[in-house]
Amino acid sequence: MKRRDFMISAAGTVAGMALLPRMSFAAEGVIDWYTSSDSNILDFWTNTVKPAFEAANPGVSINLVDAGDGAGINAIAERAIAAKQSGADPQADYFETHDPNQPNGAIDAGIYVNMKEAGLSNYDKVNPLAFDGDYSLPYRGSQVLLAYDSTKLKAADAPKNWDDLVTWIKANPGQFVYNRPDKGGSGGNFVRRAIHQANGLDPAAFTLDNYSEAYANETLGKTWEILKDIAPSLYDNGAYSSGNTQSIQLLSQGVVTMTPVWSDQVLQAISQGVLPEDTGLVQLQDLALAGGFSRAVVLDNGVNRDAALKLADFVLTEEIQSAILTELGGFPGVSWDYVSPELRERFADIVPTSIPTFPGGDWGAAINDGWYRNVAPNVDRNS
Amino acid sequence: MEKSDSRRPTGLLLVAIPVLLMAWLIIWPIINAIGRTMWRPDAEGSYGFDLSSYIFFFSDQYSIDNLAITLWTTLMCAILLLAICLPIALYLRFSQGRLPAYVQALAIFPMFVPSIILAYAFIRVLGPNGMVDILLNAVGLPKIRTPYLTPWGPVIGLVWDNIPLTVLILLSGLGSVANHAIEAARDVGANRLQVFWHIILPRISNSILVAISFSVLGIFSSFTLPYLLGPASPEMMGPFMNRTFREVNDPINAVTQAVVTFGFCIAFGLFYVRSVARNQGK
């Protein structure tokens, strides 16, 4: 390269770098939106919610960003706390799903909007079962089901409760797999269902506040015994897939016969032909596998706070809530009275009256670490 | 002589930016991490020298298992890489024509495939009911036990990923082996093995050391392939650190694992530095 060219390109680079920080400021009218969900949720927002919202609100647009996982959103929330203290701009307005109790003290720091007092016109429509505090807005639900290959297992023989499931797993070694509990909710909630099983089938026994190390050791200790008991009968003598998608992949390749799946992901996989039409779905009848509602959080100190609240209100409209059922295969966040009667009838069978949930906070870390230490076996290297 | 003197500051200026970046982005964080894990507040909040996180790491069977599997994976990859790449490099050095050019292109090809794509290709081909199983089944042979989700999964992926760099470094080392030295040995009646052992190997031992330390440094701290292809437990240090930090919310232990990891990497790095220094002295 000639010296003159070098000087020109170097000067250009320096000028560009001087402009960079200015360019990264949040733009007025562009909602910075973050998600920690799987790509099917991002696709749903890209193809359905974003065009509908932008058509209804000229001049406002949404910048959809995949934050990766819950820890990714947490890092952005921590940035928002720091920005609040210094009066700066957090460059974030809307979390697609988040637990406002994270990071610790975020609510006290005042970075989240109190949804109850925000004056949303659709707030009263939300399913009362779904609320988890005033700082988040439940807008969609999903649940973990068991999906199975109906060519190998007849619907009549599919296990309907936990004991039948354990009997089936042991009678069919290598035909069941669940993913590592920290790598996706389908395996994570299967582990949580085992916790419920070990502790009297009472979801109320676990709350965000009743975590203590002694209580966790006692309740989780019994759970690890249950899971260790079935481990040798799992796929490849106790191998665990590395995510929700990988479990579905093993099912679609005919490697395993049954695996826990998210309801929305499995319905989408069936509609896209990843899984065959006749894939069986079953829910345990003694206590359903845990699932949960996704709860949107709006940042109080974001530049586009008001536009983000408009968006939060918008996702509760009948248009979007129906699309959650039809396009996403999820459950609506609003009560069933606010879904069109036709859809209400069509989905009557699969929608539960309640979804057992499991608290996050310290429980999440205790479950994730305890499972790796106690359940995941040391694989024999020489086999 | 005057001219070379005036060039000297230019040379130093040229390396100043990478050196400063390295000090800022790598060396300072290392010092910082060591400080943060050893100089910690106790229950009353007063700071003091504290090795408890290291004592925990080396007394915790789970952490030791993870370190052991990382060392095992690294060792296996190093042995396999040498066993695969040395013959390829020798072939490329001593043969002529169009075929070696194709072989070289094939050997370099993995360099242009991102490891995440490699991981999914691996699952499709060697995974359960994958292409290999289908082919075996077609000729009436039994299924294989797939390496997917066993410790061999990451080994196969990492070896494939590291072939290009190793072949290139070995090939450049073989460039310094003169043809007439080999012809002279042949003339006095040395067979192929003797030529390799007495003529070629001593001349490329340095390149072998460099190639191995380069790939070992990358393999020891690799993340994507062990994460996607490896077993849930024990896990390699890369996924283990990431999980401790993000999922278990335990930064002190994650940093301790990182310090232990780069302690091993520094030891491997010293091999490389020593062999470079020895080369310069020649």
Side-chain angles (χ1 to χ4, degrees):
Chain A
M1 193 189 285
K2 283 182 185 155
R3 178 178 287 189
R4 195 163 157 270
D5 294 341
F6 173 76
M7 293 301 282
I8 290 173
S9 56
T13 313
V14 170
M17 278 164 74
L19 284 172
L20 264 180
R22 214 165 301 164
M23 282 159 63
S24 69
F25 273 119
E28 188 85 34
V30 179
I31 300 170
D32 285 313
W33 176 102
Y34 291 88
T35 183
S36 58
S37 305
D38 277 312
S39 56
N40 62 330
I41 304 298
L42 189 58
D43 289 348
F44 173 70
W45 276 79
T46 311
N47 300 326
T48 307
V49 183
K50 182 177 153 85
F53 179 72
E54 287 173 357
N57 295 277
V60 183
S61 66
I62 317 176
N63 173 31
L64 301 172
V65 185
D66 186 355
D69 53 12
I73 293 259
N74 253 350
I76 295 162
E78 271 163 12
R79 189 175 79 191
I81 294 178
K84 176 94 178 175
Q85 284 159 357
S86 62
D89 165 19
Q91 294 169 28
D93 302 299
Y94 192 100
F95 294 155
E96 186 264 330
T97 174
H98 183 57
D99 176 3
N101 296 300
Q102 295 282 335
N104 279 342
I107 291 175
D108 295 332
I111 61 162
Y112 299 135
V113 173
N114 184 329
M115 291 292 190
K116 198 174 179 180
E117 292 163 8
L120 299 181
S121 60
N122 293 322
Y123 192 78
D124 297 334
K125 296 180 185 170
V126 173
N127 186 345
L129 288 167
F131 281 113
D132 184 28
D134 295 340
Y135 288 87
S136 56
L137 186 72
Y139 86 97
R140 65 176 173 93
S142 48
Q143 192 166 15
V144 174
L145 307 164
L146 296 170
Y148 60 90
D149 184 341
S150 60
T151 57
K152 296 187 202 158
L153 177 67
K154 285 194 201 77
D157 302 333
K160 303 287 192 305
N161 60 52
W162 182 269
D163 293 328
D164 287 354
L165 177 65
V166 170
T167 314
W168 183 86
I169 290 172
K170 287 186 174 172
N172 299 277
Q175 293 301 309
F176 188 84
V177 72
Y178 67 93
N179 68 271
R180 302 165 200 175
D182 61 323
K183 303 276 201 299
S186 62
N189 283 320
F190 178 79
V191 171
R192 282 159 177 77
R193 177 64 182 79
I195 298 173
H196 286 148
Q197 185 67 25
N199 295 284
L201 291 177
D202 179 18
F206 299 93
T207 66
L208 195 62
D209 299 322
N210 76 355
Y211 175 85
S212 74
E213 211 175 314
Y215 185 55
N217 283 342
E218 185 209 326
T219 51
L220 299 183
K222 287 189 270 181
T223 310
W224 307 145
E225 292 311 314
I226 292 183
L227 292 174
K228 265 195 281 193
D229 181 46
I230 60 169
S233 310
L234 298 179
Y235 166 66
D236 204 10
N237 306 320
Y240 302 90
S241 56
S242 51
N244 300 322
T245 318
Q246 281 82 352
S247 295
I248 291 179
Q249 196 176 17
L250 287 173
L251 181 66
S252 74
Q253 283 176 297
V255 180
V256 295
T257 305
M258 192 188 293
T259 181
V261 289
W262 277 116
S263 55
D264 53 345
Q265 280 187 333
V266 74
L267 292 176
Q268 205 169 36
I270 292 171
S271 74
Q272 289 172 347
V274 176
L275 286 171
E277 286 275 316
D278 57 353
T279 302
L281 297 173
V282 65
Q283 181 59 274
L284 298 184
Q285 299 303 314
D286 46 349
L287 176 70
L289 287 156
F293 285 92
S294 289
R295 301 179 178 93
V297 169
V298 173
L299 286 151
D300 194 49
N301 53 340
V303 170
N304 301 296
R305 179 182 181 273
D306 296 337
L309 282 173
K310 231 184 239 176
L311 176 61
D313 211 22
F314 183 75
V315 294
L316 296 178
T317 55
E318 195 180 310
E319 179 190 359
I320 300 298
Q321 291 294 318
S322 304
I324 286 173
L325 266 166
T326 53
E327 313 262 320
L328 191 63
F331 304 139
V334 295
S335 298
W336 279 91
D337 306 338
Y338 300 102
V339 176
S340 74
E342 173 215 337
L343 285 176
R344 218 181 303 164
E345 207 169 306
R346 198 171 123 202
F347 289 97
D349 290 341
I350 66 156
V351 174
T353 44
S354 75
I355 301 178
T357 58
F358 202 91
D362 294 328
W363 284 107
I367 293 169
N368 287 338
D369 202 40
W371 183 86
Y372 273 89
R373 286 173 182 276
N374 296 291
V375 181
N378 294 344
V379 178
D380 182 6
R381 283 177 213 154
N382 304 316
S383 60
Chain B
M1 282 319 268
E2 258 182 35
K3 207 174 179 187
S4 76
D5 276 348
S6 68
R7 269 185 187 167
R8 204 165 282 158
T10 326
L12 285 179
L13 271 178
L14 282 173
V15 295
I17 292 173
V19 167
L20 282 176
L21 270 180
M22 202 175 83
W24 177 38
L25 294 176
I26 296 172
I27 302 187
W28 167 244
I30 290 178
I31 297 169
N32 189 324
I34 296 173
R36 261 196 301 169
T37 46
M38 293 189 177
W39 194 256
R40 297 205 340 244
D42 57 11
E44 280 102 57
S46 58
Y47 279 78
F49 187 68
D50 184 357
L51 279 180
S52 57
S53 65
Y54 292 90
I55 295 169
F56 173 76
F57 183 92
F58 286 106
S59 60
D60 175 36
Q61 192 56 45
Y62 185 65
S63 305
I64 292 175
D65 286 349
N66 289 341
L67 185 60
I69 192 86
T70 312
L71 286 168
W72 177 86
T73 307
T74 312
L75 181 74
M76 277 300 145
C77 288
I79 294 172
L80 287 174
L81 271 174
L82 212 54
I84 294 169
C85 297
L86 202 51
I88 296 179
L90 285 171
Y91 170 75
L92 292 177
R93 167 70 182 78
F94 293 111
S95 37
Q96 276 118 29
R98 194 171 283 174
L99 189 61
Y102 290 131
V103 172
Q104 179 158 10
L106 272 179
I108 307 303
F109 176 69
M111 199 171 241
F112 304 100
V113 182
S115 44
I116 185 110
I117 291 176
L118 164 62
Y120 280 97
F122 173 101
I123 297 171
R124 284 286 172 179
V125 175
L126 283 175
N129 290 7
M131 206 163 82
V132 172
D133 270 349
I134 291 171
L135 291 176
L136 287 177
N137 195 38
V139 292
L141 291 168
K143 280 166 164 287
I144 49 159
R145 180 174 183 253
T146 162
Y148 178 44
L149 301 179
T150 75
W152 286 104
V155 170
I156 297 173
L158 288 166
V159 165
W160 200 78
D161 219 16
N162 279 289
I163 283 177
L165 189 69
T166 316
V167 166
L168 285 177
I169 296 174
L170 290 178
L171 206 53
S172 78
L174 280 168
S176 68
V177 180
N179 278 340
H180 55 76
I182 294 165
E183 282 156 17
R186 286 245 172 93
D187 286 345
V188 294
N191 63 22
R192 284 183 164 205
L193 193 67
Q194 283 167 325
V195 169
F196 174 70
W197 192 254
H198 294 290
I199 307 292
I200 298 176
L201 206 55
R203 281 175 173 72
I204 62 163
S205 60
N206 232 356
S207 304
I208 292 179
L209 213 58
V210 170
I212 291 300
S213 43
F214 260 52
S215 39
V216 155
L217 282 176
I219 289 165
F220 197 85
S221 52
S222 56
F223 178 78
T224 313
L225 292 167
Y227 179 87
L228 284 169
L229 301 177
S233 160
E235 49 194 336
M236 278 178 71
M237 292 306 282
F240 183 39
M241 275 185 264
N242 184 56
R243 200 172 57 76
T244 309
F245 183 72
R246 292 176 82 102
E247 309 297 339
V248 192
N249 298 324
D250 189 351
I252 282 295
N253 275 323
V255 175
T256 307
Q257 291 154 13
V259 172
V260 172
T261 303
F262 52 65
F264 277 90
C265 286
I266 284 172
F268 295 132
L270 284 178
F271 269 113
Y272 168 68
V273 173
R274 231 190 73 195
S275 76
V276 168
R278 247 192 353 201
N279 227 12
Q280 295 274 326
K282 268 181 189 170

